[in-house]
Amino acid sequence: MAGASGKDKLLTGIFWLAGIFIVLILAGIIGYVLFRGASSLSLDFILQPPSRAGRLGGISTTIVGTVYLTLLALLAAVPVGVGSAIYLEEYAHSRSRFAKLVNLTAETLAGIPSIVFGLFGFVFFVIFLGMGWSVLSGGLTMAIMILPTITRTAQEAILAVAGEYRENSLALGASRWQTVRRVILPSALPGIVTGIILSIGRAVGETAAIILTAGSSLGMPVSPMDPARTMSVHLYIMAMEGISTERAFGTACLIVVLIVIINYLANLSLSRLTKAMR
Amino acid sequence: MDNVVSTKQEIKMKSVDLQVFYQDFQALHGIDMDIKANHVTALIGPSGCGKSTFLRTLNRLNELIEGTTIKGQVYLDDQAIYSKEMDVVGLRKRVGMVFQKPSVFPMSVYENVAYGPRIHGIKNRGQLDEIVEKSLRAANLWEEMGGRLHTPAARMSGGQQQRLVIARVLAVDPEVILMDEPASALDPISTSKLEELIAELKRAYTIVIVTHNMQQAARVSDYTGFFLNGQLIEFNRTKELFVNPANQQTEDYITGRFG
């Protein structure tokens, strides 16, 4: 007995260390980024457009570019992703060949490296469809990239809630669509939003695929056909071309802050939505 | 088999040589049963005997399970429910169902009850209010919940949730109510409230109830069918079946020798 409890204590210690290690890594990275980037952070850094290739001025156009491109990507990917999840879980027979094909496709897409999507987006959107380096090309490429995440998480969220609700609703004489719209989607919403948050993280953090499809122009993107530079691309160029390491860290700071804000807002709206009914 | 002889207009639903297959497995073998209007019919038998399968053929809910094949026929009044002309949505409106686990939707008490009427096109607020109150009263829930209509239904107790589910079914104004082990997740007090409710409801509705609990079948039902291995072994007035079973297997089951 003493041996067993000794082993338990040892293992508890090891797992505790593993936990601490994760916290330390996260705190270390964020702490270092904030420490190095804080000096270049100012209101002007956020509100002013860059000048002299980013050596001076702020990064306002890249913040707009990031938000613009991410929104476009979500606008394209969320309806398709959630729609195919609803189809797979509610309408398709799970053994049907088509359902299997869609599932397999989503899984395969999820495993493809982003640069391959970038190359595809470059050849297809930028050149073949003649959209040029633009927010639209970048947004659509990003949409394809995040589609599997949105589909899979939505599918799992629907699967987790659907069984009983579906039977009860259908037994009341509801159609499939009424059941989906009134009962299943509202209860699956938290899971769906989680998938969207993960996707936003991926889109905001992407660089190579975006350089290939949206370009790296420092101008302010107004029309979706304008080229744009996102914050991550800006960070990469600042560091890679040795323009300014401090400004690269400043941009990194703002990316971290932006992600934290997005997560916070999503969680807040989610808990408001679900609290009302639980 | 000792079927109960009764006049035609009293029979609300009727199954004729009903067979159900899940892929290659035959779950029901030629079931003939008459379900009498304004009476409670209990279906008993050990797990896997086919009683729930039979219940789910009565509102065509078995169709949701992939690979199910149904042969034979079920009639609601004189209408064949397994026919091309039968509108499944309309059938499920007329034949409501209460499941084993009370599954309230993640909405308020009011919205749960109003769900069915809204789906069937009622939008007028006054009319909905009226239906909600009437249904909650009929489910013996108005006194407890009438003042708290807008609280989330998930906060109610299990027994209240099951009665809310019944109110939700009543709100679409069904003719038949199917209950699949409705008390199995409830405590004894909630169970006795539910049984009282069933006794009241049979005045206005035809009720078919699947139960594992033979005392419950004896208490609430007028007719009882005993299922075993997908066959209807015996079907009779509840008093007859429990006091004087005609079949040896029925006697073995109700005296607790197996099951």
Side-chain angles (χ1 to χ4, degrees):
Chain A
M1 286 309 276
S5 89
K7 216 178 216 175
D8 262 353
K9 271 184 190 157
L10 182 69
L11 283 173
T12 310
I14 290 173
F15 294 137
W16 183 81
L17 277 177
I20 280 291
F21 194 59
I22 285 196
V23 174
L24 283 180
I25 291 176
L26 182 71
I29 292 176
I30 291 185
Y32 188 68
V33 165
L34 290 178
F35 170 71
R36 290 290 303 270
S39 60
S40 41
L41 282 188
S42 65
L43 210 55
D44 275 351
F45 189 67
I46 299 170
L47 296 178
Q48 293 297 319
S51 65
R52 292 199 55 221
R55 281 178 194 84
L56 297 173
I59 59 164
S60 68
T61 61
T62 71
I63 298 176
V64 173
T66 305
V67 173
Y68 203 163
L69 194 137
T70 306
L71 279 181
L72 258 178
L74 291 178
L75 214 61
V78 171
V80 178
V82 176
S84 57
I86 292 172
Y87 168 76
L88 286 171
E89 291 305 320
E90 295 298 316
Y91 290 88
H93 288 280
S94 62
R95 280 186 214 88
S96 84
R97 281 208 184 145
F98 183 60
K100 276 186 185 163
L101 181 71
V102 175
N103 262 324
L104 183 72
T105 309
E107 271 164 27
T108 312
L109 277 177
I112 292 179
S114 60
I115 187 66
V116 176
F117 287 104
L119 187 63
F120 169 79
F122 174 66
V123 171
F124 186 69
F125 296 119
V126 177
I127 296 174
F128 181 72
L129 293 183
M131 293 176 183
W133 283 308
S134 61
V135 177
L136 189 61
S137 298
L140 292 177
T141 306
M142 214 43 51
I144 299 173
M145 221 170 91
I146 62 178
L147 194 57
T149 310
I150 290 179
T151 308
R152 301 297 293 182
T153 46
Q155 247 183 299
E156 270 156 38
I158 290 171
L159 191 68
V161 299
E164 288 171 25
Y165 291 158
R166 184 193 300 124
E167 274 195 334
N168 272 274
S169 174
L170 292 176
L172 286 166
S175 67
R176 279 186 184 271
W177 172 238
Q178 285 168 325
T179 303
V180 168
R181 191 170 67 85
R182 291 169 187 250
V183 185
I184 293 178
L185 276 187
S187 10
L189 203 60
I192 294 173
V193 171
T194 304
I196 294 175
I197 292 176
L198 288 172
S199 305
I200 291 175
R202 206 169 167 203
V204 168
E206 184 52 44
T207 52
I210 290 179
I211 296 176
L212 277 173
T213 52
S216 57
S217 154
L218 277 171
M220 178 65 85
V222 180
S223 136
M225 300 313 286
D226 289 343
R229 182 185 287 195
T230 64
M231 292 158 80
S232 294
V233 171
H234 188 61
L235 188 163
Y236 169 74
I237 292 173
M238 288 298 101
M240 193 63 199
E241 297 182 359
I243 294 172
S244 166
T245 314
E246 290 313 305
R247 285 174 164 260
F249 271 109
T251 310
C253 263
L254 283 185
I255 293 176
V256 171
V257 170
L258 186 71
I259 294 281
V260 169
I261 290 175
I262 290 171
N263 284 7
Y264 176 73
L265 287 180
N267 277 322
L268 190 74
S269 59
L270 202 63
S271 66
R272 287 238 172 109
L273 273 172
T274 50
K275 210 185 242 165
M277 282 309 131
R278 272 162 221 268
Chain B
M1 201 173 63
D2 186 36
N3 266 356
V4 179
V5 185
S6 51
T7 53
K8 195 162 194 273
Q9 57 267 41
E10 290 177 311
I11 296 171
K12 187 68 191 171
M13 295 192 84
K14 181 185 181 75
S15 77
V16 179
D17 192 27
L18 186 71
Q19 304 173 46
V20 175
F21 300 83
Y22 296 129
Q23 315 286 355
D24 298 332
F25 173 72
Q26 184 162 9
L28 285 180
H29 299 263
I31 307 296
D32 296 287
M33 189 189 283
D34 291 351
I35 293 158
K36 301 241 282 175
N38 298 104
H39 285 77
V40 177
T41 303
L43 311 177
I44 60 168
S47 297
C49 66
K51 57 193 191 301
S52 287
T53 298
F54 178 75
L55 191 75
R56 284 160 173 259
T57 59
L58 301 179
N59 65 347
R60 290 181 60 171
L61 212 60
N62 268 335
E63 292 173 2
L64 298 180
I65 302 164
E66 279 173 47
T68 307
T69 321
I70 291 150
K71 290 178 183 161
Q73 192 51 272
V74 176
Y75 297 91
L76 172 60
D77 293 327
D78 282 330
Q79 211 175 348
I81 72 170
Y82 289 96
S83 65
K84 282 191 179 127
E85 296 75 47
M86 191 73 211
D87 156 38
V88 182
V89 165
L91 170 70
R92 292 186 185 145
K93 191 168 176 291
R94 289 173 68 191
V95 183
M97 181 146 183
V98 175
F99 296 83
Q100 189 167 357
K101 204 176 145 205
S103 173
V104 297
F105 297 147
M107 317 165 176
S108 68
V109 174
Y110 183 97
E111 287 303 322
N112 261 280
V113 183
Y115 181 84
R118 276 192 209 275
I119 272 175
H120 299 296
I122 296 174
K123 291 199 177 82
N124 181 300
R125 188 75 194 192
Q127 209 180 340
L128 283 174
D129 287 351
E130 205 175 296
I131 293 173
V132 169
E133 177 172 347
K134 203 176 125 202
S135 308
L136 285 173
R137 281 191 192 283
N140 292 342
L141 206 52
W142 181 256
E143 289 192 2
E144 287 157 73
M145 296 311 293
R148 292 185 287 159
L149 289 178
H150 298 287
T151 51
R155 291 204 196 134
M156 302 160 77
S157 75
Q160 289 174 328
Q161 288 191 15
Q162 195 57 295
R163 278 178 283 144
L164 180 66
V165 169
I166 293 174
R168 193 170 67 192
V169 169
L170 297 180
V172 300
D173 198 20
E175 297 158 35
V176 180
I177 302 174
L178 312 176
M179 299 185 175
D180 192 357
E181 299 187 37
S184 65
L186 303 183
D187 60 83
I189 294 172
S190 302
T191 300
S192 80
K193 280 189 183 171
L194 182 74
E195 288 177 4
E196 279 167 35
L197 176 60
I198 292 171
E200 288 168 27
L201 288 176
K202 76 175 181 186
R203 274 179 242 142
Y205 306 91
T206 303
I207 295 172
V208 186
I209 178 171
V210 163
T211 176
H212 258 304
N213 178 330
M214 278 175 286
Q215 286 75 31
Q216 184 169 63
R219 281 193 300 265
V220 302
S221 71
D222 305 297
Y223 293 88
T224 297
F226 169 61
F227 283 78
L228 188 65
N229 300 328
Q231 315 258 12
L232 180 58
I233 303 295
E234 188 167 350
F235 182 63
N236 208 338
R237 286 186 179 279
T238 300
K239 276 180 195 150
E240 279 295 309
L241 188 131
F242 276 95
V243 174
N244 201 4
N247 186 293
Q248 185 60 42
Q249 286 171 311
T250 312
E251 189 176 339
D252 288 350
Y253 182 71
I254 61 177
T255 54
R257 233 165 277 169
F258 73 97

